[in-house]
Amino acid sequence: MKYVDEFRDAGVITKAADEIRRLVDPERHYRFMEVCGGHTHAIYRFGLKDLLPPNIELVHGPGCPVCVLPMGRIDDGLSMARDPNVIFCAFGDMMRVPGAQGSPLQHKARGVDVRIVYSPSDALNLARRNPDKHVMFFAIGFETTAPSTALVLMRAKAEGAPNFSVFSNHVTIIPAIRAILDSPDMRIDAFIGPGHVSTVIGCRPYEWIARNEGRPIVVTGFEPADILQSIVMLLHQMRAREAKVENQYKRVVPWEGNHAALRAMAEVFELRPYFEWRGMGFISQSALRIRESYAQWDAEQRFQTPGVRVTDPKAAQCGEVLKGVLRPAQCKLFGKECTPESPVGALMVSSEGSCAAYYNYEHRKHSPLTTIGAPA
Amino acid sequence: MCLAIPAKVVELFPGERSRALVEVTGVRRHIDIGLLEDDPPVPGDWVLVHVGFAMSKISEEQALDQLQMLTMLGESEAALEEVQGYGLGERAET
């Protein structure tokens, strides 16, 4: 592992790695899913797998909002942007993500007014500065990001912004975990729980995973020592035949979450009956739409959306990789038709997707560190 | 966008409860602290910033660790670019 020595807590890392080796049962195989794309990225970047015994397998979960967004939603969002009166804005991560009719960046090249924003409040500011245009913010993200969009919508309503709307693609993490656990070929023993999502939702929403499904889950920070300590905690639970929710990331995540953020989300959003996830299909109550009381600022209620559906190519085995049935390199398309430069499947789309992370850090191990599709 | 960036609160603005001036490795930008309204930060506090909004208060030690980690993840430039991008977030003159 390349970076251990640079860390102030190098001693902690070595100790945790030793303890993991002491705790594992050599007779069995362990599959731990890290739910969050940020963890996937850190695991590859720091080469954490090199510190783990070979019978611990890390399965990379659905927690990358860019990856799981169905292609048709991009086409829907961009279809509204073809109106010359509309400014389409989105986070930089979205710019190269292909829709069936091309990416936002390709639309920009065709003359559509496409702009990068770094914050949803910048989108509202853009509307204030361009009173003769309509500014549409293409919103993505889990519960980490949704409260920010919600606050901006509350401000837009308070000031009666006439020329601003949000196209919501916000999703929620719990139903995705449920879909993985409900799948018949699921093979996950325990979960490394998301860190920043949990600053908002807290730890309680995971309790059913332990209680009903008998799977340990540890909410985890993003440093190498955090991830290794979390694995130690999971192994302790498994040895004691326990399943509970533990919080390794107490220094950032309060058990009860962030009430102000949850209030903002509840004020503005409601659950959609169902939503499509790339690589996973339709999952019920897994996404957020804008409430009727904010209809004037909801791009979907304000404009006609074609409701484009683009089926993922059958050959791409994203679903199997997500559930831990296949590893990224075992997919038939990996590194051939499907690469970060021209992604076919969901998990190759963003640098936090498991296939892109695997491609960048493992597949190219002998080349210098070049990250394709790095966060914009 | 999935970055969480540690920033030090430099200044608050009377009459504008949701805005704060923060500093990230020498760059100063305005962010929104509306999501911390139950426990608002004061100048000198460190916060984790995500898409221009403070998500939680953190200790200085934790903030410095997080900055070091962003560097090692090769994401400090992306983080700085993001923070500089918040420039758009200056209030429109009204």
Side-chain angles (χ1 to χ4, degrees):
Chain A
M1 190 178 136
K2 326 174 194 45
Y3 298 97
V4 163
D5 300 340
E6 296 174 34
F7 263 94
R8 184 179 52 73
D9 52 1
V12 181
I13 292 172
T14 317
K15 217 175 130 198
D18 288 346
E19 196 168 0
I20 288 169
R21 275 191 291 276
R22 190 177 64 77
L23 287 168
V24 290
D25 173 357
E27 300 299 311
R28 65 163 294 176
H29 190 81
Y30 298 84
R31 278 193 189 83
F32 297 153
M33 171 174 279
E34 85 276 0
V35 175
C36 169
H39 284 143
T40 304
H41 190 65
I43 285 163
Y44 280 111
R45 181 79 197 188
F46 294 124
L48 291 186
K49 286 207 293 200
D50 299 347
L51 291 180
L52 298 177
N55 55 335
I56 294 186
E57 184 184 337
L58 296 177
V59 178
H60 316 306
C64 162
V66 176
C67 302
V68 298
L69 182 71
M71 205 184 244
R73 295 292 290 181
I74 301 168
D75 293 307
D76 273 353
L78 287 166
S79 75
M80 299 175 226
R82 285 190 201 106
D83 178 339
N85 200 39
V86 168
I87 300 175
F88 173 99
C89 50
F91 295 136
D93 311 48
M94 282 307 306
M95 289 295 147
R96 288 173 196 282
V97 180
Q101 306 292 321
S103 67
L105 210 58
Q106 286 165 327
H107 278 70
K108 190 182 171 72
R110 293 173 206 151
V112 176
D113 194 344
V114 170
R115 308 202 194 172
I116 293 178
V117 291
Y118 293 87
S119 168
S121 54
D122 294 342
L124 180 55
N125 266 307
L126 207 54
R128 291 175 183 138
R129 288 177 189 181
N130 294 276
D132 52 333
K133 296 272 190 176
H134 183 90
V135 173
M136 193 194 77
F137 176 59
F138 187 93
I140 60 164
F142 284 92
E143 288 95 329
T144 327
T145 319
S148 305
T149 306
L151 264 195
V152 167
L153 280 164
M154 287 163 71
R155 304 235 165 95
K157 186 176 182 178
E159 67 186 56
N163 62 329
F164 176 71
S165 65
V166 170
F167 185 59
S168 171
N169 295 287
H170 286 298
V171 282
T172 58
I173 195 67
I174 297 290
I177 298 176
R178 189 183 297 278
I180 285 166
L181 281 168
D182 283 349
S183 133
D185 47 1
M186 195 281 305
R187 298 179 188 181
I188 309 298
D189 296 305
F191 291 91
I192 295 171
H196 294 136
V197 161
S198 307
T199 62
V200 172
I201 66 171
C203 300
R204 282 192 197 285
Y206 305 115
E207 280 172 350
W208 64 274
I209 298 171
R211 197 177 48 234
N212 302 347
E213 304 287 336
R215 300 291 197 292
I217 175 163
V218 176
V219 171
T220 305
F222 295 88
E223 296 182 29
D226 290 327
I227 295 168
L228 294 175
Q229 271 167 3
S230 159
I231 293 171
V232 168
M233 290 161 83
L234 292 173
L235 288 169
H236 271 296
Q237 285 197 42
M238 288 177 74
R239 260 173 81 123
R241 297 186 182 284
E242 283 182 327
K244 53 189 180 185
V245 184
E246 289 184 283
N247 185 5
Q248 185 276 333
Y249 200 29
K250 282 189 185 124
R251 58 189 196 272
V252 174
V253 173
W255 187 265
E256 300 291 336
N258 178 335
H259 285 270
L262 292 170
R263 282 198 304 275
M265 276 169 69
E267 159 71 19
V268 171
F269 293 117
E270 61 188 7
L271 285 171
R272 293 177 195 269
Y274 54 84
F275 194 69
E276 188 180 6
W277 292 55
R278 244 186 127 170
M280 295 177 76
F282 286 91
I283 303 178
S284 61
Q285 304 197 313
S286 64
L288 301 173
R289 71 179 174 204
I290 296 168
R291 287 185 188 277
E292 184 73 40
S293 48
Y294 285 81
Q296 201 187 324
W297 297 276
D298 179 0
E300 278 176 280
Q301 296 184 61
R302 195 167 167 153
F303 299 96
Q304 289 283 337
T305 54
V308 177
R309 285 205 60 212
V310 185
T311 325
D312 272 321
K314 282 227 163 43
Q317 294 169 295
C318 305
E320 283 77 9
V321 173
L322 270 176
K323 286 178 287 195
V325 181
L326 292 182
R327 284 172 224 157
Q330 291 173 318
C331 171
K332 290 192 283 278
L333 302 188
F334 180 86
K336 299 180 192 95
E337 288 93 331
C338 190
T339 63
E341 291 86 349
S342 85
V344 177
L347 304 176
M348 200 59 102
V349 171
S350 149
S351 66
E352 294 198 347
S354 55
C355 291
Y358 187 87
Y359 189 92
N360 282 322
Y361 294 120
E362 296 288 318
H363 197 63
R364 298 181 177 177
K365 222 165 192 173
H366 304 294
S367 63
L369 278 176
T370 43
T371 311
I372 303 290
Chain B
M1 58 152 296
C2 280
L3 293 172
I5 305 160
K8 189 175 189 171
V9 177
V10 175
E11 195 182 348
L12 301 174
F13 302 92
E16 274 190 80
R17 278 164 47 209
S18 64
R19 190 159 69 108
L21 182 68
V22 298
E23 186 172 309
V24 181
T25 55
V27 176
R28 289 186 171 200
R29 284 293 183 270
H30 291 109
I31 62 156
D32 198 306
I33 53 170
L35 296 175
L36 297 182
E37 67 175 11
D38 295 347
D39 182 20
V42 295
D45 281 350
W46 287 82
V47 290
L48 266 188
V49 181
H50 172 70
V51 298
F53 287 72
M55 300 294 299
S56 51
K57 293 205 274 189
I58 53 172
S59 70
E60 179 165 15
E61 186 191 13
Q62 161 70 4
L64 298 176
D65 275 0
Q66 178 89 5
L67 279 171
Q68 190 195 9
M69 193 185 62
L70 285 175
T71 306
M72 277 187 250
L73 279 168
E75 285 179 348
S76 53
E77 276 175 31
L80 208 59
E81 188 193 318
E82 177 161 333
V83 171
Q84 281 167 339
Y86 299 156
L88 246 182
E90 307 299 304
R91 282 283 157 124
E93 284 72 31
T94 44

